[in-house]
Amino acid sequence: MKPIKDGHVAEPGLAVVEVAAADDETAFAVQELLATRWAIAPADRTTHEPGEPGVRLRCYLDMQQPPEA
């Protein structure tokens, strides 16, 4: 995955969440769960690192804003 940039965590309430899961369905379910509580910049795909188990997904949260309706 790409490095996390300073702007992603520049102030309190901003967070980067990395999810490791067995499959895409599980990773996206976790992302959807987060989106019910906070505003997020969602990932549209997962990644798989050769030699590592499962998939990974990274999304960005803004805990100061409510989720989009």
Side-chain angles (χ1 to χ4, degrees), residues 5-46:
K5 296 182 179 177
D6 290 341
H8 295 138
V9 292
E11 58 187 69
L14 299 180
V16 179
V17 176
E18 292 184 348
V19 176
D23 55 28
D24 289 357
E25 183 178 300
T26 304
F28 286 117
V30 171
Q31 178 174 261
E32 286 183 39
L33 182 65
L34 293 169
T36 65
R37 175 111 192 226
W38 297 293
I40 70 168
D44 59 354
R45 65 182 177 88
T46 61

